[in-house]
Amino acid sequence: MMKLQEEDTSLLHSASDELSDYLTSPIIEWNINSSRLVLTPGRVLLALKRLSAVSINDPEISRLIELIIKQIDTKKVLWQKKIDLEIPRRLRVWENALKDYREEGLDLSYTAQVVNRTILHLLEKEAYSLPLSFEAHLQTLDAELRTLLIPGDFVWDEALKVVFPDTDYWFLYSAKK
Amino acid sequence: MKKFRWQLLVLFLAGLIVGTLLILEKRGGLGQSGTPQPVEGGVYTEAIVGQLSRLNPLLDSNNQADRDIDRLIFSGLVKFDSAGIPEPDLAETINNSKDGLLYNIKLKEKLTWHDNEPITTDDVLFTINLMINGEGYIPEDLIQLWNSVEVIRLDDLNLQIKLTEAYAPFQDYLAFGILPEHLLKGLSLFQIADSQFNLHPVGSGPFKFDSLTVENSVITGITLVAFKGYYPEPPFIQEINFRYFADADAALQAYKDGYVQGVSQIPSHLINQALSIPGLSLYTSRLPQIGMVLFNLNDPEVPFLQDKSIREALLLGINRQKLINDYFNGQAIIANSVIMPGTWAYLENVPTYDFDPDKAALLLKTAGYVVTGDANPVRKKDDSTLKFVLSYPDDDLHKRIAESIQKDWQALSIDVVLEAVPPDNFMADKLAPRAYQAALVDLNLSQTPDPDPYPFWDLGQATAGQNYSQWNNRIASDTVEQARITIDLAERKRLYHNFQSIFASELPALPLYYPVYNYAVSDQILGISMGPLVDTSSRFATAAEWYMAAKTVQITPVPTGK
């Protein structure tokens, strides 16, 4: 949890400096100068979501979340345009991961790869409008994923369960069939 | 009622003519042969509605009477012209970089406080720091703004402000009243709030504090005198006295009794009376307020409100001129835009929707809503009934307006249920949680002359901000977001024109009226001009040019030698 928290905090700190430049640029995946982290709307949404699990007890993180949300709100249209661009890319990455699992079986990398599915869920909620094919495409991929999984324990740190309920994030409560 | 509209028009034109003549004549220039030229002299006494709290520009946001007087005592780096465009006041020049990230500000030379101490950039920095640390007194967004910029003192007259990102309305925020560091150094705003300074202020405006009038331990008046060191030239009027009154009725009575020469506000119920008083001139200007009906565009129980043609029908069905005549005594203007008319960003030919119940009925019918029922006819489309709740602040004016709108809409067979909400709870119970279907509101945009519609209409503000309608229009939002970072005024104006066109076409809310403000002054006080107001205190924007005495200039033609 600490590692994820540090990573998410670091991403949002960088975002607070670079978000404006990123959103006004034509770049979809913005390499943050000071780290190996990459800035995309999905990655920011994931960090916001994960950090919201600890923000109640951490006023500094709470302030950071508030700052990022405010920055996004002032450039909401640019933000949503970036989301439009990220969705098909993210879908492709997730599709490729599933393809590998289908051929070689689910492995430990799922804990990391399922970030893409989680981000797709967050992007879907934040998007202004979705491509017509998006829902059907994701449903197909989800059906495929269900053939590889059985319900199981939460795949990330227990502390995050509170913000990722199994009703919406069933793919985070899974084990290999 | 027609009579009042004519009077309004006449007053507007008179104001315009006076203003134009003043500009053409220019202060201090030679008058035409035989025309009067203002000279120093005279004492003006005004009845001001309200009471004194703190004469301090950082502490007057909740007290109109204080703001009015502060407008004469204090000044800022910029002030606003009649179109709402900031122009240098204490500043000599304000230059910004092309990217809008850097502002270089130079103060006018030899400026002094009322106590003759020099005004320097230290005073500006001191005031900004008070705002930054002014939690509890200064609005949170203002604290955040000043916290987000870097202010660098270059020397006594020059300072530089660095923004982290372009923010086109920034210059408007330079209008804050500057406080003297040499008198308040070492004090926090919290301490200043309790300081005697607020009752004996020292500023840099055209008039300086002289004395308070105290009767039975109550402050009943205040005297200001002309500041001889005022830039560019000292005022003509030598003394201004304010006398406090609890309400406008008492203030007008004081005029009739000969105690005062002006009244700070004439509400609509006193218009007739004021107009009948010989020698009393009324100055009228649009207030920075707009009355509207907001719709909750995200309420699944009233899906028809998401239909543009239904909203258009609702606007066409309201007799707004009747509202203005009946409830404002003619003292309001029909609103067609959420940007204030008379300001630089207003779209003059914005589409309008005159009262047309037949067209409204046709639109509703075309949208599939037909009248059903005989006793209580109401429009229906399949299972959807044109029925919704209109919430309003529970005061007499809004009650009557809401009832009038209800009547207009009922005539179109729309079932409108009125809901009275205590005004103090309206925001917290209805608007903020988006717990309403339609709401009658007055948006007050005073003290924020920049027309930026972002806070109320951008989709970024739809869930947690002030976009209470939850209007989710990407093109409109793109336009206002672009405008916020567009420094070039002409380009910004174009963007706001586009925004207004979209707004008028989509009608996410129904603009109803802009109330007007009436200020009454004896016709012995001359040179008064009043443009569209940022705040009612802006009536004093040209107070240094008002005059009560004049001399006649005779020019003898000089022989040309021929």
Side-chain angles (χ1 to χ4, degrees), chain A residues 54-93:
Chain A
V54 294
S55 64
I56 295 172
N57 301 318
D58 191 329
E60 202 173 313
I61 287 182
S62 182
R63 272 195 296 276
L64 181 61
I65 289 174
E66 206 176 302
L67 174 70
I68 296 296
I69 291 173
K70 199 164 182 181
Q71 285 190 356
I72 292 169
D73 282 349
T74 59
K75 293 193 169 56
K76 194 77 171 184
V77 175
L78 291 175
W79 170 257
Q80 287 182 334
K81 284 179 180 170
K82 280 280 194 280
I83 287 177
D84 294 347
L85 297 171
E86 183 177 0
I87 282 176
R89 290 169 77 109
R90 191 65 70 175
L91 203 57
R92 213 160 40 242
V93 172

mmCIF file of all heavy atoms in Angstrom, chain A residues 54-93:
data_model
loop_
_atom_site.group_PDB
_atom_site.id
_atom_site.type_symbol
_atom_site.label_atom_id
_atom_site.label_comp_id
_atom_site.label_asym_id
_atom_site.label_seq_id
_atom_site.Cartn_x
_atom_site.Cartn_y
_atom_site.Cartn_z
ATOM 1 N N VAL A 54 -7.251 7.017 1.715
ATOM 2 C CA VAL A 54 -6.444 7.421 2.888
ATOM 3 C C VAL A 54 -6.595 8.912 3.207
ATOM 4 O O VAL A 54 -6.066 9.392 4.199
ATOM 5 C CB VAL A 54 -4.945 7.105 2.673
ATOM 6 C CG1 VAL A 54 -4.732 5.608 2.599
ATOM 7 C CG2 VAL A 54 -4.395 7.796 1.431
ATOM 8 N N SER A 55 -7.315 9.628 2.358
ATOM 9 C CA SER A 55 -7.337 11.090 2.506
ATOM 10 C C SER A 55 -8.038 11.563 3.778
ATOM 11 O O SER A 55 -7.738 12.633 4.292
ATOM 12 C CB SER A 55 -7.994 11.733 1.282
ATOM 13 O OG SER A 55 -9.339 11.340 1.204
ATOM 14 N N ILE A 56 -8.969 10.749 4.286
ATOM 15 C CA ILE A 56 -9.707 11.166 5.488
ATOM 16 C C ILE A 56 -8.750 11.404 6.648
ATOM 17 O O ILE A 56 -8.917 12.336 7.433
ATOM 18 C CB ILE A 56 -10.765 10.109 5.868
ATOM 19 C CG1 ILE A 56 -11.811 10.026 4.767
ATOM 20 C CG2 ILE A 56 -11.414 10.420 7.216
ATOM 21 C CD1 ILE A 56 -12.799 8.895 4.927
ATOM 22 N N ASN A 57 -7.729 10.574 6.720
ATOM 23 C CA ASN A 57 -6.784 10.694 7.841
ATOM 24 C C ASN A 57 -5.538 11.481 7.473
ATOM 25 O O ASN A 57 -4.589 11.535 8.260
ATOM 26 C CB ASN A 57 -6.380 9.297 8.325
ATOM 27 C CG ASN A 57 -7.587 8.514 8.775
ATOM 28 O OD1 ASN A 57 -8.465 9.057 9.441
ATOM 29 N ND2 ASN A 57 -7.663 7.258 8.379
ATOM 30 N N ASP A 58 -5.503 12.029 6.304
ATOM 31 C CA ASP A 58 -4.289 12.738 5.883
ATOM 32 C C ASP A 58 -4.668 14.063 5.210
ATOM 33 O O ASP A 58 -4.952 14.106 4.005
ATOM 34 C CB ASP A 58 -3.496 11.846 4.911
ATOM 35 C CG ASP A 58 -2.091 12.396 4.651
ATOM 36 O OD1 ASP A 58 -1.925 13.637 4.692
ATOM 37 O OD2 ASP A 58 -1.175 11.596 4.407
ATOM 38 N N PRO A 59 -4.674 15.154 5.974
ATOM 39 C CA PRO A 59 -5.106 16.437 5.403
ATOM 40 C C PRO A 59 -4.264 16.895 4.214
ATOM 41 O O PRO A 59 -4.773 17.543 3.302
ATOM 42 C CB PRO A 59 -4.964 17.419 6.560
ATOM 43 C CG PRO A 59 -4.508 16.656 7.747
ATOM 44 C CD PRO A 59 -4.330 15.229 7.379
ATOM 45 N N GLU A 60 -2.989 16.510 4.210
ATOM 46 C CA GLU A 60 -2.132 16.939 3.097
ATOM 47 C C GLU A 60 -2.575 16.279 1.788
ATOM 48 O O GLU A 60 -2.680 16.927 0.751
ATOM 49 C CB GLU A 60 -0.677 16.583 3.400
ATOM 50 C CG GLU A 60 0.288 17.434 2.597
ATOM 51 C CD GLU A 60 1.728 17.195 3.022
ATOM 52 O OE1 GLU A 60 2.001 17.196 4.247
ATOM 53 O OE2 GLU A 60 2.540 16.980 2.125
ATOM 54 N N ILE A 61 -2.862 14.979 1.889
ATOM 55 C CA ILE A 61 -3.344 14.270 0.692
ATOM 56 C C ILE A 61 -4.714 14.810 0.300
ATOM 57 O O ILE A 61 -5.014 14.991 -0.882
ATOM 58 C CB ILE A 61 -3.390 12.745 0.952
ATOM 59 C CG1 ILE A 61 -1.951 12.213 0.967
ATOM 60 C CG2 ILE A 61 -4.218 12.024 -0.099
ATOM 61 C CD1 ILE A 61 -1.826 10.735 1.166
ATOM 62 N N SER A 62 -5.513 15.102 1.287
ATOM 63 C CA SER A 62 -6.839 15.652 1.027
ATOM 64 C C SER A 62 -6.734 16.976 0.259
ATOM 65 O O SER A 62 -7.470 17.218 -0.707
ATOM 66 C CB SER A 62 -7.541 15.845 2.362
ATOM 67 O OG SER A 62 -8.806 16.326 2.154
ATOM 68 N N ARG A 63 -5.798 17.812 0.673
ATOM 69 C CA ARG A 63 -5.589 19.106 -0.011
ATOM 70 C C ARG A 63 -5.088 18.902 -1.434
ATOM 71 O O ARG A 63 -5.499 19.591 -2.363
ATOM 72 C CB ARG A 63 -4.593 19.963 0.777
ATOM 73 C CG ARG A 63 -5.256 20.831 1.849
ATOM 74 C CD ARG A 63 -4.315 21.918 2.339
ATOM 75 N NE ARG A 63 -3.153 21.374 3.009
ATOM 76 C CZ ARG A 63 -3.135 21.027 4.299
ATOM 77 N NH1 ARG A 63 -4.188 21.195 5.041
ATOM 78 N NH2 ARG A 63 -2.051 20.527 4.848
ATOM 79 N N LEU A 64 -4.196 17.898 -1.577
ATOM 80 C CA LEU A 64 -3.642 17.613 -2.906
ATOM 81 C C LEU A 64 -4.756 17.156 -3.853
ATOM 82 O O LEU A 64 -4.845 17.605 -5.003
ATOM 83 C CB LEU A 64 -2.549 16.537 -2.781
ATOM 84 C CG LEU A 64 -1.831 16.126 -4.064
ATOM 85 C CD1 LEU A 64 -1.100 17.307 -4.698
ATOM 86 C CD2 LEU A 64 -0.847 14.987 -3.787
ATOM 87 N N ILE A 65 -5.618 16.299 -3.357
ATOM 88 C CA ILE A 65 -6.744 15.816 -4.175
ATOM 89 C C ILE A 65 -7.629 16.995 -4.589
ATOM 90 O O ILE A 65 -8.013 17.135 -5.754
ATOM 91 C CB ILE A 65 -7.563 14.767 -3.384
ATOM 92 C CG1 ILE A 65 -6.753 13.472 -3.258
ATOM 93 C CG2 ILE A 65 -8.906 14.499 -4.047
ATOM 94 C CD1 ILE A 65 -7.394 12.411 -2.380
ATOM 95 N N GLU A 66 -7.911 17.843 -3.623
ATOM 96 C CA GLU A 66 -8.760 19.008 -3.878
ATOM 97 C C GLU A 66 -8.134 19.911 -4.951
ATOM 98 O O GLU A 66 -8.819 20.393 -5.861
ATOM 99 C CB GLU A 66 -8.909 19.780 -2.571
ATOM 100 C CG GLU A 66 -10.163 20.604 -2.475
ATOM 101 C CD GLU A 66 -10.270 21.254 -1.098
ATOM 102 O OE1 GLU A 66 -10.268 20.521 -0.089
ATOM 103 O OE2 GLU A 66 -10.312 22.474 -1.050
ATOM 104 N N LEU A 67 -6.823 20.112 -4.836
ATOM 105 C CA LEU A 67 -6.113 20.972 -5.791
ATOM 106 C C LEU A 67 -6.203 20.408 -7.210
ATOM 107 O O LEU A 67 -6.483 21.141 -8.166
ATOM 108 C CB LEU A 67 -4.638 21.111 -5.359
ATOM 109 C CG LEU A 67 -3.709 21.851 -6.303
ATOM 110 C CD1 LEU A 67 -4.049 23.342 -6.321
ATOM 111 C CD2 LEU A 67 -2.246 21.675 -5.882
ATOM 112 N N ILE A 68 -5.974 19.097 -7.334
ATOM 113 C CA ILE A 68 -6.004 18.481 -8.669
ATOM 114 C C ILE A 68 -7.414 18.558 -9.260
ATOM 115 O O ILE A 68 -7.589 18.893 -10.433
ATOM 116 C CB ILE A 68 -5.537 17.000 -8.591
ATOM 117 C CG1 ILE A 68 -4.073 16.931 -8.138
ATOM 118 C CG2 ILE A 68 -5.719 16.302 -9.933
ATOM 119 C CD1 ILE A 68 -3.074 17.556 -9.074
ATOM 120 N N ILE A 69 -8.404 18.281 -8.438
ATOM 121 C CA ILE A 69 -9.791 18.329 -8.940
ATOM 122 C C ILE A 69 -10.116 19.740 -9.422
ATOM 123 O O ILE A 69 -10.727 19.936 -10.474
ATOM 124 C CB ILE A 69 -10.785 17.862 -7.856
ATOM 125 C CG1 ILE A 69 -10.609 16.367 -7.626
ATOM 126 C CG2 ILE A 69 -12.226 18.165 -8.253
ATOM 127 C CD1 ILE A 69 -11.413 15.791 -6.475
ATOM 128 N N LYS A 70 -9.648 20.727 -8.683
ATOM 129 C CA LYS A 70 -9.910 22.116 -9.072
ATOM 130 C C LYS A 70 -9.212 22.441 -10.396
ATOM 131 O O LYS A 70 -9.785 23.086 -11.274
ATOM 132 C CB LYS A 70 -9.421 23.045 -7.965
ATOM 133 C CG LYS A 70 -10.032 24.397 -8.049
ATOM 134 C CD LYS A 70 -9.858 25.172 -6.793
ATOM 135 C CE LYS A 70 -10.546 26.521 -6.955
ATOM 136 N NZ LYS A 70 -10.438 27.376 -5.835
ATOM 137 N N GLN A 71 -7.981 21.971 -10.518
ATOM 138 C CA GLN A 71 -7.248 22.221 -11.773
ATOM 139 C C GLN A 71 -7.951 21.562 -12.955
ATOM 140 O O GLN A 71 -8.036 22.131 -14.031
ATOM 141 C CB GLN A 71 -5.820 21.687 -11.662
ATOM 142 C CG GLN A 71 -4.917 22.559 -10.809
ATOM 143 C CD GLN A 71 -3.459 22.145 -10.917
ATOM 144 O OE1 GLN A 71 -3.129 21.169 -11.573
ATOM 145 N NE2 GLN A 71 -2.588 22.877 -10.274
ATOM 146 N N ILE A 72 -8.437 20.361 -12.734
ATOM 147 C CA ILE A 72 -9.162 19.662 -13.809
ATOM 148 C C ILE A 72 -10.416 20.454 -14.177
ATOM 149 O O ILE A 72 -10.714 20.661 -15.355
ATOM 150 C CB ILE A 72 -9.544 18.227 -13.359
ATOM 151 C CG1 ILE A 72 -8.287 17.365 -13.222
ATOM 152 C CG2 ILE A 72 -10.523 17.594 -14.343
ATOM 153 C CD1 ILE A 72 -8.532 16.024 -12.543
ATOM 154 N N ASP A 73 -11.124 20.903 -13.174
ATOM 155 C CA ASP A 73 -12.381 21.618 -13.428
ATOM 156 C C ASP A 73 -12.188 22.893 -14.239
ATOM 157 O O ASP A 73 -13.066 23.280 -15.000
ATOM 158 C CB ASP A 73 -13.070 21.960 -12.099
ATOM 159 C CG ASP A 73 -13.783 20.743 -11.523
ATOM 160 O OD1 ASP A 73 -13.906 19.743 -12.244
ATOM 161 O OD2 ASP A 73 -14.202 20.803 -10.351
ATOM 162 N N THR A 74 -11.046 23.546 -14.080
ATOM 163 C CA THR A 74 -10.846 24.781 -14.832
ATOM 164 C C THR A 74 -10.544 24.506 -16.306
ATOM 165 O O THR A 74 -10.611 25.412 -17.124
ATOM 166 C CB THR A 74 -9.703 25.637 -14.260
ATOM 167 O OG1 THR A 74 -8.510 24.878 -14.294
ATOM 168 C CG2 THR A 74 -9.998 26.102 -12.850
ATOM 169 N N LYS A 75 -10.186 23.257 -16.620
ATOM 170 C CA LYS A 75 -9.929 22.901 -18.027
ATOM 171 C C LYS A 75 -10.670 21.615 -18.354
ATOM 172 O O LYS A 75 -10.125 20.682 -18.927
ATOM 173 C CB LYS A 75 -8.424 22.746 -18.247
ATOM 174 C CG LYS A 75 -7.661 24.055 -18.112
ATOM 175 C CD LYS A 75 -6.251 23.949 -18.642
ATOM 176 C CE LYS A 75 -5.600 25.309 -18.745
ATOM 177 N NZ LYS A 75 -5.577 26.076 -17.501
ATOM 178 N N LYS A 76 -11.909 21.606 -17.966
ATOM 179 C CA LYS A 76 -12.682 20.371 -18.060
ATOM 180 C C LYS A 76 -12.810 19.870 -19.503
ATOM 181 O O LYS A 76 -12.780 18.668 -19.751
ATOM 182 C CB LYS A 76 -14.078 20.626 -17.475
ATOM 183 C CG LYS A 76 -14.869 19.383 -17.194
ATOM 184 C CD LYS A 76 -14.406 18.699 -15.934
ATOM 185 C CE LYS A 76 -15.362 17.574 -15.535
ATOM 186 N NZ LYS A 76 -14.978 16.970 -14.269
ATOM 187 N N VAL A 77 -12.974 20.794 -20.433
ATOM 188 C CA VAL A 77 -13.174 20.360 -21.815
ATOM 189 C C VAL A 77 -11.900 19.734 -22.363
ATOM 190 O O VAL A 77 -11.940 18.671 -22.993
ATOM 191 C CB VAL A 77 -13.641 21.542 -22.692
ATOM 192 C CG1 VAL A 77 -13.723 21.124 -24.143
ATOM 193 C CG2 VAL A 77 -15.005 22.035 -22.214
ATOM 194 N N LEU A 78 -10.751 20.385 -22.080
ATOM 195 C CA LEU A 78 -9.479 19.809 -22.528
ATOM 196 C C LEU A 78 -9.262 18.451 -21.862
ATOM 197 O O LEU A 78 -8.771 17.508 -22.480
ATOM 198 C CB LEU A 78 -8.326 20.758 -22.175
ATOM 199 C CG LEU A 78 -8.275 22.075 -22.960
ATOM 200 C CD1 LEU A 78 -7.172 22.968 -22.428
ATOM 201 C CD2 LEU A 78 -8.055 21.806 -24.443
ATOM 202 N N TRP A 79 -9.619 18.376 -20.610
ATOM 203 C CA TRP A 79 -9.500 17.124 -19.856
ATOM 204 C C TRP A 79 -10.331 16.025 -20.530
ATOM 205 O O TRP A 79 -9.856 14.908 -20.750
ATOM 206 C CB TRP A 79 -9.972 17.389 -18.427
ATOM 207 C CG TRP A 79 -10.165 16.212 -17.541
ATOM 208 C CD1 TRP A 79 -11.345 15.641 -17.189
ATOM 209 C CD2 TRP A 79 -9.145 15.467 -16.843
ATOM 210 N NE1 TRP A 79 -11.135 14.598 -16.321
ATOM 211 C CE2 TRP A 79 -9.794 14.465 -16.091
ATOM 212 C CE3 TRP A 79 -7.758 15.544 -16.782
ATOM 213 C CZ2 TRP A 79 -9.108 13.562 -15.297
ATOM 214 C CZ3 TRP A 79 -7.071 14.636 -15.982
ATOM 215 C CH2 TRP A 79 -7.740 13.663 -15.257
ATOM 216 N N GLN A 80 -11.559 16.363 -20.880
ATOM 217 C CA GLN A 80 -12.423 15.356 -21.495
ATOM 218 C C GLN A 80 -11.952 14.983 -22.904
ATOM 219 O O GLN A 80 -12.116 13.840 -23.329
ATOM 220 C CB GLN A 80 -13.860 15.867 -21.536
ATOM 221 C CG GLN A 80 -14.490 15.864 -20.143
ATOM 222 C CD GLN A 80 -15.926 16.312 -20.158
ATOM 223 O OE1 GLN A 80 -16.321 17.056 -21.046
ATOM 224 N NE2 GLN A 80 -16.695 15.884 -19.177
ATOM 225 N N LYS A 81 -11.342 15.945 -23.569
ATOM 226 C CA LYS A 81 -10.809 15.621 -24.903
ATOM 227 C C LYS A 81 -9.665 14.617 -24.769
ATOM 228 O O LYS A 81 -9.491 13.734 -25.603
ATOM 229 C CB LYS A 81 -10.334 16.897 -25.604
ATOM 230 C CG LYS A 81 -11.497 17.741 -26.150
ATOM 231 C CD LYS A 81 -11.010 19.004 -26.811
ATOM 232 C CE LYS A 81 -12.179 19.832 -27.336
ATOM 233 N NZ LYS A 81 -11.772 21.172 -27.788
ATOM 234 N N LYS A 82 -8.866 14.791 -23.706
ATOM 235 C CA LYS A 82 -7.777 13.835 -23.469
ATOM 236 C C LYS A 82 -8.356 12.456 -23.133
ATOM 237 O O LYS A 82 -7.824 11.428 -23.545
ATOM 238 C CB LYS A 82 -6.906 14.312 -22.297
ATOM 239 C CG LYS A 82 -5.895 15.394 -22.676
ATOM 240 C CD LYS A 82 -4.663 14.791 -23.346
ATOM 241 C CE LYS A 82 -3.525 15.775 -23.424
ATOM 242 N NZ LYS A 82 -3.639 16.731 -24.529
ATOM 243 N N ILE A 83 -9.460 12.461 -22.399
ATOM 244 C CA ILE A 83 -10.107 11.187 -22.069
ATOM 245 C C ILE A 83 -10.573 10.495 -23.349
ATOM 246 O O ILE A 83 -10.378 9.293 -23.526
ATOM 247 C CB ILE A 83 -11.300 11.419 -21.107
ATOM 248 C CG1 ILE A 83 -10.763 11.760 -19.716
ATOM 249 C CG2 ILE A 83 -12.215 10.201 -21.049
ATOM 250 C CD1 ILE A 83 -11.833 12.079 -18.692
ATOM 251 N N ASP A 84 -11.136 11.289 -24.256
ATOM 252 C CA ASP A 84 -11.575 10.727 -25.549
ATOM 253 C C ASP A 84 -10.416 10.018 -26.244
ATOM 254 O O ASP A 84 -10.597 8.991 -26.895
ATOM 255 C CB ASP A 84 -12.078 11.847 -26.479
ATOM 256 C CG ASP A 84 -13.344 12.500 -25.960
ATOM 257 O OD1 ASP A 84 -13.952 11.944 -25.035
ATOM 258 O OD2 ASP A 84 -13.718 13.565 -26.482
ATOM 259 N N LEU A 85 -9.229 10.601 -26.110
ATOM 260 C CA LEU A 85 -8.062 10.026 -26.784
ATOM 261 C C LEU A 85 -7.515 8.812 -26.029
ATOM 262 O O LEU A 85 -6.991 7.886 -26.636
ATOM 263 C CB LEU A 85 -6.955 11.092 -26.918
ATOM 264 C CG LEU A 85 -7.304 12.304 -27.786
ATOM 265 C CD1 LEU A 85 -6.239 13.380 -27.665
ATOM 266 C CD2 LEU A 85 -7.443 11.873 -29.247
ATOM 267 N N GLU A 86 -7.637 8.848 -24.720
ATOM 268 C CA GLU A 86 -7.055 7.750 -23.939
ATOM 269 C C GLU A 86 -7.890 6.473 -24.030
ATOM 270 O O GLU A 86 -7.338 5.359 -24.029
ATOM 271 C CB GLU A 86 -6.892 8.161 -22.461
ATOM 272 C CG GLU A 86 -6.214 7.051 -21.650
ATOM 273 C CD GLU A 86 -5.939 7.404 -20.197
ATOM 274 O OE1 GLU A 86 -6.265 8.523 -19.784
ATOM 275 O OE2 GLU A 86 -5.399 6.540 -19.483
ATOM 276 N N ILE A 87 -9.201 6.636 -24.113
ATOM 277 C CA ILE A 87 -10.081 5.456 -24.051
ATOM 278 C C ILE A 87 -9.714 4.378 -25.086
ATOM 279 O O ILE A 87 -9.485 3.225 -24.712
ATOM 280 C CB ILE A 87 -11.564 5.873 -24.137
ATOM 281 C CG1 ILE A 87 -12.009 6.400 -22.761
ATOM 282 C CG2 ILE A 87 -12.458 4.719 -24.570
ATOM 283 C CD1 ILE A 87 -13.416 6.945 -22.701
ATOM 284 N N PRO A 88 -9.602 4.702 -26.373
ATOM 285 C CA PRO A 88 -9.282 3.629 -27.319
ATOM 286 C C PRO A 88 -7.900 3.016 -27.086
ATOM 287 O O PRO A 88 -7.713 1.809 -27.261
ATOM 288 C CB PRO A 88 -9.355 4.317 -28.689
ATOM 289 C CG PRO A 88 -9.436 5.764 -28.431
ATOM 290 C CD PRO A 88 -9.888 5.961 -27.029
ATOM 291 N N ARG A 89 -6.948 3.841 -26.651
ATOM 292 C CA ARG A 89 -5.597 3.314 -26.390
ATOM 293 C C ARG A 89 -5.630 2.349 -25.209
ATOM 294 O O ARG A 89 -5.032 1.285 -25.232
ATOM 295 C CB ARG A 89 -4.623 4.456 -26.090
ATOM 296 C CG ARG A 89 -4.319 5.311 -27.307
ATOM 297 C CD ARG A 89 -3.593 6.556 -26.903
ATOM 298 N NE ARG A 89 -2.186 6.309 -26.625
ATOM 299 C CZ ARG A 89 -1.197 6.713 -27.396
ATOM 300 N NH1 ARG A 89 -1.459 7.363 -28.505
ATOM 301 N NH2 ARG A 89 0.047 6.483 -27.079
ATOM 302 N N ARG A 90 -6.320 2.771 -24.170
ATOM 303 C CA ARG A 90 -6.383 1.954 -22.957
ATOM 304 C C ARG A 90 -7.114 0.635 -23.237
ATOM 305 O O ARG A 90 -6.745 -0.423 -22.741
ATOM 306 C CB ARG A 90 -7.098 2.761 -21.870
ATOM 307 C CG ARG A 90 -7.040 2.209 -20.493
ATOM 308 C CD ARG A 90 -5.670 2.161 -19.882
ATOM 309 N NE ARG A 90 -5.108 3.457 -19.542
ATOM 310 C CZ ARG A 90 -3.942 3.613 -18.902
ATOM 311 N NH1 ARG A 90 -3.224 2.558 -18.553
ATOM 312 N NH2 ARG A 90 -3.481 4.817 -18.641
ATOM 313 N N LEU A 91 -8.141 0.739 -24.061
ATOM 314 C CA LEU A 91 -8.912 -0.454 -24.424
ATOM 315 C C LEU A 91 -8.023 -1.452 -25.173
ATOM 316 O O LEU A 91 -8.087 -2.665 -24.952
ATOM 317 C CB LEU A 91 -10.098 -0.021 -25.296
ATOM 318 C CG LEU A 91 -11.316 -0.932 -25.377
ATOM 319 C CD1 LEU A 91 -11.902 -1.200 -24.000
ATOM 320 C CD2 LEU A 91 -12.392 -0.300 -26.258
ATOM 321 N N ARG A 92 -7.189 -0.892 -26.030
ATOM 322 C CA ARG A 92 -6.287 -1.739 -26.818
ATOM 323 C C ARG A 92 -5.276 -2.453 -25.913
ATOM 324 O O ARG A 92 -5.013 -3.644 -26.057
ATOM 325 C CB ARG A 92 -5.560 -0.856 -27.855
ATOM 326 C CG ARG A 92 -5.282 -1.581 -29.135
ATOM 327 C CD ARG A 92 -5.029 -0.672 -30.321
ATOM 328 N NE ARG A 92 -4.231 0.511 -30.048
ATOM 329 C CZ ARG A 92 -4.679 1.745 -30.204
ATOM 330 N NH1 ARG A 92 -5.925 1.947 -30.593
ATOM 331 N NH2 ARG A 92 -3.902 2.790 -29.959
ATOM 332 N N VAL A 93 -4.733 -1.710 -24.966
ATOM 333 C CA VAL A 93 -3.745 -2.289 -24.045
ATOM 334 C C VAL A 93 -4.386 -3.429 -23.250
ATOM 335 O O VAL A 93 -3.814 -4.503 -23.081
ATOM 336 C CB VAL A 93 -3.200 -1.199 -23.081
ATOM 337 C CG1 VAL A 93 -2.340 -1.810 -22.000
ATOM 338 C CG2 VAL A 93 -2.403 -0.165 -23.860
#
